[in-house]
mmCIF file of all heavy atoms in Angstrom:
data_model
loop_
_atom_site.group_PDB
_atom_site.id
_atom_site.type_symbol
_atom_site.label_atom_id
_atom_site.label_comp_id
_atom_site.label_asym_id
_atom_site.label_seq_id
_atom_site.Cartn_x
_atom_site.Cartn_y
_atom_site.Cartn_z
ATOM 1 N N ASN Y 151 70.895 91.486 95.359
ATOM 2 C CA ASN Y 151 71.326 90.330 94.562
ATOM 3 C C ASN Y 151 71.420 89.041 95.374
ATOM 4 O O ASN Y 151 71.884 88.023 94.847
ATOM 5 C CB ASN Y 151 72.672 90.640 93.912
ATOM 6 C CG ASN Y 151 72.569 91.620 92.769
ATOM 7 O OD1 ASN Y 151 72.324 91.237 91.630
ATOM 8 N ND2 ASN Y 151 72.726 92.899 93.064
ATOM 9 N N GLY Y 152 70.999 89.064 96.630
ATOM 10 C CA GLY Y 152 71.057 87.871 97.462
ATOM 11 C C GLY Y 152 72.465 87.383 97.735
ATOM 12 O O GLY Y 152 72.692 86.176 97.901
ATOM 13 N N LEU Y 153 73.428 88.313 97.809
ATOM 14 C CA LEU Y 153 74.825 87.931 97.991
ATOM 15 C C LEU Y 153 75.392 88.418 99.329
ATOM 16 O O LEU Y 153 76.614 88.502 99.489
ATOM 17 C CB LEU Y 153 75.669 88.480 96.837
ATOM 18 C CG LEU Y 153 75.405 87.849 95.468
ATOM 19 C CD1 LEU Y 153 76.176 88.596 94.379
ATOM 20 C CD2 LEU Y 153 75.798 86.377 95.476
ATOM 21 N N GLY Y 154 74.524 88.716 100.254
ATOM 22 C CA GLY Y 154 74.991 89.228 101.530
ATOM 23 C C GLY Y 154 75.906 88.281 102.279
ATOM 24 O O GLY Y 154 76.796 88.711 103.022
ATOM 25 N N SER Y 155 75.718 86.972 102.086
ATOM 26 C CA SER Y 155 76.517 85.987 102.815
ATOM 27 C C SER Y 155 77.730 85.507 102.028
ATOM 28 O O SER Y 155 78.445 84.605 102.475
ATOM 29 C CB SER Y 155 75.645 84.782 103.181
ATOM 30 O OG SER Y 155 75.158 84.143 102.007
ATOM 31 N N ALA Y 156 77.985 86.099 100.866
ATOM 32 C CA ALA Y 156 79.071 85.626 100.006
ATOM 33 C C ALA Y 156 80.435 86.168 100.420
ATOM 34 O O ALA Y 156 81.452 85.721 99.897
ATOM 35 C CB ALA Y 156 78.789 86.010 98.558
ATOM 36 N N PHE Y 157 80.456 87.110 101.369
ATOM 37 C CA PHE Y 157 81.705 87.783 101.713
ATOM 38 C C PHE Y 157 82.017 87.654 103.196
ATOM 39 O O PHE Y 157 81.130 87.563 104.042
ATOM 40 C CB PHE Y 157 81.625 89.265 101.329
ATOM 41 C CG PHE Y 157 81.395 89.489 99.861
ATOM 42 C CD1 PHE Y 157 80.109 89.707 99.374
ATOM 43 C CD2 PHE Y 157 82.448 89.468 98.975
ATOM 44 C CE1 PHE Y 157 79.890 89.899 98.020
ATOM 45 C CE2 PHE Y 157 82.232 89.661 97.616
ATOM 46 C CZ PHE Y 157 80.960 89.879 97.142
ATOM 47 N N ASP Y 158 83.311 87.696 103.484
ATOM 48 C CA ASP Y 158 83.767 87.677 104.871
ATOM 49 C C ASP Y 158 83.700 89.064 105.492
ATOM 50 O O ASP Y 158 83.651 89.200 106.723
ATOM 51 C CB ASP Y 158 85.208 87.160 104.931
ATOM 52 C CG ASP Y 158 85.324 85.738 104.415
ATOM 53 O OD1 ASP Y 158 85.061 84.810 105.194
ATOM 54 O OD2 ASP Y 158 85.656 85.562 103.229
ATOM 55 N N ALA Y 159 83.720 90.107 104.662
ATOM 56 C CA ALA Y 159 83.663 91.479 105.149
ATOM 57 C C ALA Y 159 83.174 92.376 104.018
ATOM 58 O O ALA Y 159 83.112 91.957 102.855
ATOM 59 C CB ALA Y 159 85.038 91.939 105.621
ATOM 60 N N ARG Y 160 82.823 93.597 104.372
ATOM 61 C CA ARG Y 160 82.415 94.603 103.392
ATOM 62 C C ARG Y 160 83.232 95.849 103.685
ATOM 63 O O ARG Y 160 83.165 96.383 104.793
ATOM 64 C CB ARG Y 160 80.920 94.883 103.496
ATOM 65 C CG ARG Y 160 80.081 93.620 103.350
ATOM 66 C CD ARG Y 160 78.623 93.852 103.656
ATOM 67 N NE ARG Y 160 77.908 92.586 103.680
ATOM 68 C CZ ARG Y 160 76.590 92.462 103.815
ATOM 69 N NH1 ARG Y 160 75.841 93.548 103.937
ATOM 70 N NH2 ARG Y 160 76.020 91.275 103.829
ATOM 71 N N ILE Y 161 83.995 96.307 102.697
ATOM 72 C CA ILE Y 161 84.925 97.407 102.923
ATOM 73 C C ILE Y 161 84.501 98.612 102.105
ATOM 74 O O ILE Y 161 84.473 98.565 100.868
ATOM 75 C CB ILE Y 161 86.364 97.009 102.541
ATOM 76 C CG1 ILE Y 161 86.761 95.690 103.218
ATOM 77 C CG2 ILE Y 161 87.334 98.119 102.921
ATOM 78 C CD1 ILE Y 161 88.086 95.130 102.715
ATOM 79 N N SER Y 162 84.167 99.684 102.792
ATOM 80 C CA SER Y 162 83.827 100.943 102.141
ATOM 81 C C SER Y 162 84.932 101.947 102.415
ATOM 82 O O SER Y 162 85.418 102.075 103.544
ATOM 83 C CB SER Y 162 82.501 101.476 102.687
ATOM 84 O OG SER Y 162 82.305 102.832 102.300
ATOM 85 N N THR Y 163 85.328 102.692 101.382
ATOM 86 C CA THR Y 163 86.349 103.712 101.573
ATOM 87 C C THR Y 163 85.858 104.840 102.479
ATOM 88 O O THR Y 163 86.650 105.682 102.906
ATOM 89 C CB THR Y 163 86.800 104.300 100.230
ATOM 90 O OG1 THR Y 163 85.703 104.964 99.589
ATOM 91 C CG2 THR Y 163 87.334 103.203 99.312
ATOM 92 N N HIS Y 164 84.570 104.824 102.792
ATOM 93 C CA HIS Y 164 84.010 105.770 103.759
ATOM 94 C C HIS Y 164 84.781 105.715 105.073
ATOM 95 O O HIS Y 164 84.947 106.744 105.750
ATOM 96 C CB HIS Y 164 82.534 105.441 103.984
ATOM 97 C CG HIS Y 164 81.840 106.331 104.964
ATOM 98 N ND1 HIS Y 164 81.319 107.561 104.615
ATOM 99 C CD2 HIS Y 164 81.567 106.172 106.291
ATOM 100 C CE1 HIS Y 164 80.750 108.117 105.669
ATOM 101 N NE2 HIS Y 164 80.900 107.299 106.699
ATOM 102 N N SER Y 165 85.266 104.518 105.420
ATOM 103 C CA SER Y 165 85.994 104.351 106.690
ATOM 104 C C SER Y 165 87.275 105.164 106.722
ATOM 105 O O SER Y 165 87.744 105.547 107.803
ATOM 106 C CB SER Y 165 86.323 102.871 106.914
ATOM 107 O OG SER Y 165 85.146 102.098 106.998
ATOM 108 N N ALA Y 166 87.849 105.424 105.554
ATOM 109 C CA ALA Y 166 89.074 106.214 105.480
ATOM 110 C C ALA Y 166 88.803 107.671 105.129
ATOM 111 O O ALA Y 166 89.725 108.482 105.081
ATOM 112 C CB ALA Y 166 90.021 105.614 104.439
ATOM 113 N N GLY Y 167 87.553 108.007 104.862
ATOM 114 C CA GLY Y 167 87.206 109.376 104.507
ATOM 115 C C GLY Y 167 87.842 109.826 103.205
ATOM 116 O O GLY Y 167 88.226 110.987 103.051
ATOM 117 N N THR Y 168 87.903 108.903 102.229
ATOM 118 C CA THR Y 168 88.501 109.226 100.940
ATOM 119 C C THR Y 168 87.994 108.247 99.900
ATOM 120 O O THR Y 168 87.084 107.457 100.179
ATOM 121 C CB THR Y 168 90.036 109.192 101.021
ATOM 122 O OG1 THR Y 168 90.591 109.719 99.807
ATOM 123 C CG2 THR Y 168 90.558 107.791 101.261
ATOM 124 N N TYR Y 169 88.568 108.296 98.708
ATOM 125 C CA TYR Y 169 88.164 107.411 97.624
ATOM 126 C C TYR Y 169 89.395 106.827 96.945
ATOM 127 O O TYR Y 169 90.484 107.403 96.981
ATOM 128 C CB TYR Y 169 87.328 108.179 96.585
ATOM 129 C CG TYR Y 169 85.995 108.644 97.110
ATOM 130 C CD1 TYR Y 169 85.752 109.998 97.356
ATOM 131 C CD2 TYR Y 169 84.975 107.738 97.371
ATOM 132 C CE1 TYR Y 169 84.515 110.422 97.842
ATOM 133 C CE2 TYR Y 169 83.750 108.151 97.867
ATOM 134 C CZ TYR Y 169 83.525 109.486 98.105
ATOM 135 O OH TYR Y 169 82.315 109.892 98.595
ATOM 136 N N LYS Y 170 89.220 105.658 96.334
ATOM 137 C CA LYS Y 170 90.267 105.152 95.455
ATOM 138 C C LYS Y 170 90.486 106.159 94.322
ATOM 139 O O LYS Y 170 89.524 106.766 93.880
ATOM 140 C CB LYS Y 170 89.850 103.797 94.873
ATOM 141 C CG LYS Y 170 89.676 102.698 95.907
ATOM 142 C CD LYS Y 170 89.258 101.385 95.272
ATOM 143 C CE LYS Y 170 87.875 101.441 94.670
ATOM 144 N NZ LYS Y 170 87.464 100.162 94.023
ATOM 145 N N PRO Y 171 91.733 106.389 93.888
ATOM 146 C CA PRO Y 171 92.948 105.628 94.159
ATOM 147 C C PRO Y 171 93.810 106.138 95.300
ATOM 148 O O PRO Y 171 95.022 105.878 95.301
ATOM 149 C CB PRO Y 171 93.693 105.729 92.835
ATOM 150 C CG PRO Y 171 93.362 107.114 92.352
ATOM 151 C CD PRO Y 171 91.934 107.331 92.760
ATOM 152 N N ASP Y 172 93.268 106.849 96.265
ATOM 153 C CA ASP Y 172 94.031 107.247 97.440
ATOM 154 C C ASP Y 172 94.566 105.987 98.129
ATOM 155 O O ASP Y 172 93.806 105.062 98.408
ATOM 156 C CB ASP Y 172 93.106 108.013 98.391
ATOM 157 C CG ASP Y 172 93.848 108.646 99.557
ATOM 158 O OD1 ASP Y 172 94.816 108.042 100.064
ATOM 159 O OD2 ASP Y 172 93.427 109.732 99.991
ATOM 160 N N PRO Y 173 95.857 105.911 98.431
ATOM 161 C CA PRO Y 173 96.399 104.720 99.099
ATOM 162 C C PRO Y 173 95.703 104.369 100.406
ATOM 163 O O PRO Y 173 95.624 103.200 100.775
ATOM 164 C CB PRO Y 173 97.873 105.094 99.341
ATOM 165 C CG PRO Y 173 98.189 106.091 98.278
ATOM 166 C CD PRO Y 173 96.919 106.876 98.086
ATOM 167 N N ARG Y 174 95.161 105.375 101.095
ATOM 168 C CA ARG Y 174 94.450 105.087 102.345
ATOM 169 C C ARG Y 174 93.204 104.241 102.105
ATOM 170 O O ARG Y 174 92.779 103.492 102.993
ATOM 171 C CB ARG Y 174 94.072 106.392 103.043
ATOM 172 C CG ARG Y 174 95.241 107.205 103.551
ATOM 173 C CD ARG Y 174 94.783 108.546 104.067
ATOM 174 N NE ARG Y 174 94.183 109.344 103.010
ATOM 175 C CZ ARG Y 174 93.461 110.454 103.220
ATOM 176 N NH1 ARG Y 174 93.243 110.872 104.463
ATOM 177 N NH2 ARG Y 174 92.961 111.121 102.200
ATOM 178 N N ALA Y 175 92.630 104.372 100.916
ATOM 179 C CA ALA Y 175 91.458 103.557 100.586
ATOM 180 C C ALA Y 175 91.863 102.101 100.404
ATOM 181 O O ALA Y 175 91.235 101.191 100.951
ATOM 182 C CB ALA Y 175 90.791 104.092 99.318
ATOM 183 N N TYR Y 176 92.929 101.860 99.649
ATOM 184 C CA TYR Y 176 93.377 100.483 99.433
ATOM 185 C C TYR Y 176 93.865 99.843 100.730
ATOM 186 O O TYR Y 176 93.707 98.634 100.939
ATOM 187 C CB TYR Y 176 94.494 100.452 98.383
ATOM 188 C CG TYR Y 176 94.044 100.878 97.013
ATOM 189 C CD1 TYR Y 176 94.492 102.064 96.441
ATOM 190 C CD2 TYR Y 176 93.160 100.098 96.272
ATOM 191 C CE1 TYR Y 176 94.082 102.467 95.181
ATOM 192 C CE2 TYR Y 176 92.738 100.488 95.013
ATOM 193 C CZ TYR Y 176 93.209 101.678 94.470
ATOM 194 O OH TYR Y 176 92.783 102.059 93.221
ATOM 195 N N ALA Y 177 94.437 100.633 101.623
ATOM 196 C CA ALA Y 177 94.985 100.097 102.874
ATOM 197 C C ALA Y 177 93.916 99.471 103.761
ATOM 198 O O ALA Y 177 94.234 98.661 104.641
ATOM 199 C CB ALA Y 177 95.713 101.209 103.638
ATOM 200 N N LEU Y 178 92.665 99.813 103.542
ATOM 201 C CA LEU Y 178 91.591 99.262 104.374
ATOM 202 C C LEU Y 178 91.513 97.741 104.280
ATOM 203 O O LEU Y 178 91.121 97.079 105.238
ATOM 204 C CB LEU Y 178 90.249 99.873 103.967
ATOM 205 C CG LEU Y 178 90.068 101.367 104.266
ATOM 206 C CD1 LEU Y 178 88.798 101.887 103.604
ATOM 207 C CD2 LEU Y 178 90.022 101.613 105.774
ATOM 208 N N ALA Y 179 91.880 97.169 103.137
ATOM 209 C CA ALA Y 179 91.832 95.712 103.000
ATOM 210 C C ALA Y 179 92.875 95.046 103.886
ATOM 211 O O ALA Y 179 92.625 93.979 104.457
ATOM 212 C CB ALA Y 179 92.040 95.307 101.542
ATOM 213 N N GLU Y 180 94.045 95.655 104.011
ATOM 214 C CA GLU Y 180 95.060 95.105 104.909
ATOM 215 C C GLU Y 180 94.538 95.035 106.334
ATOM 216 O O GLU Y 180 94.702 94.017 107.027
ATOM 217 C CB GLU Y 180 96.316 95.984 104.886
ATOM 218 C CG GLU Y 180 97.176 95.865 103.666
ATOM 219 C CD GLU Y 180 98.453 96.670 103.816
ATOM 220 O OE1 GLU Y 180 98.351 97.916 103.932
ATOM 221 O OE2 GLU Y 180 99.537 96.070 103.832
ATOM 222 N N THR Y 181 93.920 96.109 106.778
ATOM 223 C CA THR Y 181 93.398 96.156 108.139
ATOM 224 C C THR Y 181 92.256 95.172 108.324
ATOM 225 O O THR Y 181 92.190 94.456 109.332
ATOM 226 C CB THR Y 181 92.912 97.582 108.458
ATOM 227 O OG1 THR Y 181 93.984 98.501 108.266
ATOM 228 C CG2 THR Y 181 92.411 97.679 109.882
ATOM 229 N N THR Y 182 91.361 95.123 107.360
ATOM 230 C CA THR Y 182 90.179 94.271 107.474
ATOM 231 C C THR Y 182 90.548 92.791 107.478
ATOM 232 O O THR Y 182 90.051 92.019 108.304
ATOM 233 C CB THR Y 182 89.209 94.562 106.316
ATOM 234 O OG1 THR Y 182 88.811 95.941 106.361
ATOM 235 C CG2 THR Y 182 87.976 93.673 106.409
ATOM 236 N N PHE Y 183 91.408 92.392 106.567
ATOM 237 C CA PHE Y 183 91.790 90.989 106.468
ATOM 238 C C PHE Y 183 92.883 90.601 107.466
ATOM 239 O O PHE Y 183 93.148 89.417 107.671
ATOM 240 C CB PHE Y 183 92.295 90.674 105.057
ATOM 241 C CG PHE Y 183 91.227 90.629 103.998
ATOM 242 C CD1 PHE Y 183 91.346 91.383 102.847
ATOM 243 C CD2 PHE Y 183 90.110 89.819 104.148
ATOM 244 C CE1 PHE Y 183 90.382 91.335 101.855
ATOM 245 C CE2 PHE Y 183 89.134 89.757 103.164
ATOM 246 C CZ PHE Y 183 89.268 90.516 102.009
ATOM 247 N N ALA Y 184 93.536 91.612 108.062
ATOM 248 C CA ALA Y 184 94.676 91.361 108.960
ATOM 249 C C ALA Y 184 95.744 90.548 108.235
ATOM 250 O O ALA Y 184 96.289 89.574 108.766
ATOM 251 C CB ALA Y 184 94.238 90.665 110.233
ATOM 252 N N LEU Y 185 96.031 90.974 107.001
ATOM 253 C CA LEU Y 185 97.019 90.310 106.165
ATOM 254 C C LEU Y 185 97.920 91.360 105.524
ATOM 255 O O LEU Y 185 97.493 92.506 105.323
ATOM 256 C CB LEU Y 185 96.337 89.519 105.040
ATOM 257 C CG LEU Y 185 95.548 88.269 105.423
ATOM 258 C CD1 LEU Y 185 94.716 87.801 104.232
ATOM 259 C CD2 LEU Y 185 96.493 87.161 105.894
ATOM 260 N N PRO Y 186 99.161 90.994 105.184
ATOM 261 C CA PRO Y 186 100.004 91.925 104.434
ATOM 262 C C PRO Y 186 99.471 92.092 103.020
ATOM 263 O O PRO Y 186 98.806 91.202 102.482
ATOM 264 C CB PRO Y 186 101.375 91.242 104.439
ATOM 265 C CG PRO Y 186 101.064 89.789 104.569
ATOM 266 C CD PRO Y 186 99.846 89.721 105.455
ATOM 267 N N ARG Y 187 99.751 93.221 102.415
ATOM 268 C CA ARG Y 187 99.193 93.504 101.088
ATOM 269 C C ARG Y 187 99.611 92.469 100.043
ATOM 270 O O ARG Y 187 98.870 92.202 99.110
ATOM 271 C CB ARG Y 187 99.579 94.915 100.640
ATOM 272 C CG ARG Y 187 101.055 95.151 100.419
ATOM 273 C CD ARG Y 187 101.366 96.630 100.242
ATOM 274 N NE ARG Y 187 101.147 97.354 101.486
ATOM 275 C CZ ARG Y 187 101.358 98.678 101.624
ATOM 276 N NH1 ARG Y 187 101.772 99.396 100.580
ATOM 277 N NH2 ARG Y 187 101.148 99.275 102.773
ATOM 278 N N GLN Y 188 100.797 91.865 100.221
ATOM 279 C CA GLN Y 188 101.254 90.874 99.254
ATOM 280 C C GLN Y 188 100.379 89.624 99.249
ATOM 281 O O GLN Y 188 100.429 88.837 98.304
ATOM 282 C CB GLN Y 188 102.701 90.481 99.550
ATOM 283 C CG GLN Y 188 103.703 91.611 99.388
ATOM 284 C CD GLN Y 188 103.868 92.427 100.659
ATOM 285 O OE1 GLN Y 188 103.095 92.292 101.606
ATOM 286 N NE2 GLN Y 188 104.886 93.275 100.675
ATOM 287 N N ALA Y 189 99.576 89.425 100.305
ATOM 288 C CA ALA Y 189 98.716 88.247 100.412
ATOM 289 C C ALA Y 189 97.274 88.531 100.011
ATOM 290 O O ALA Y 189 96.410 87.662 100.122
ATOM 291 C CB ALA Y 189 98.747 87.699 101.837
ATOM 292 N N ILE Y 190 97.014 89.755 99.530
ATOM 293 C CA ILE Y 190 95.662 90.165 99.160
ATOM 294 C C ILE Y 190 95.622 90.499 97.674
ATOM 295 O O ILE Y 190 96.294 91.426 97.222
ATOM 296 C CB ILE Y 190 95.204 91.389 99.974
ATOM 297 C CG1 ILE Y 190 95.278 91.106 101.474
ATOM 298 C CG2 ILE Y 190 93.796 91.809 99.561
ATOM 299 C CD1 ILE Y 190 95.100 92.345 102.335
ATOM 300 N N ALA Y 191 94.861 89.758 96.905
ATOM 301 C CA ALA Y 191 94.680 90.079 95.489
ATOM 302 C C ALA Y 191 93.585 91.127 95.355
ATOM 303 O O ALA Y 191 92.596 91.109 96.093
ATOM 304 C CB ALA Y 191 94.306 88.833 94.701
#
């Protein structure tokens, strides 16, 4: 779709070895963005 440059990062739940809705999957955004969950929509 020509959108490779539209994002600051790409997060796959593969990194946690699980799938949503496992909390470990959602936690990857905190680590990637280096932000608390309250600051991530």
Side-chain angles (χ1 to χ4, degrees):
N151 287 273
L153 292 173
S155 62
F157 300 96
D158 298 277
R160 304 171 188 186
I161 309 171
S162 167
T163 63
H164 180 83
S165 299
T168 189
Y169 293 109
K170 296 180 293 179
D172 188 324
R174 293 173 297 166
Y176 295 112
L178 292 171
E180 285 186 297
T181 303
T182 300
F183 288 127
L185 290 168
R187 65 191 68 179
Q188 296 88 349
I190 303 169

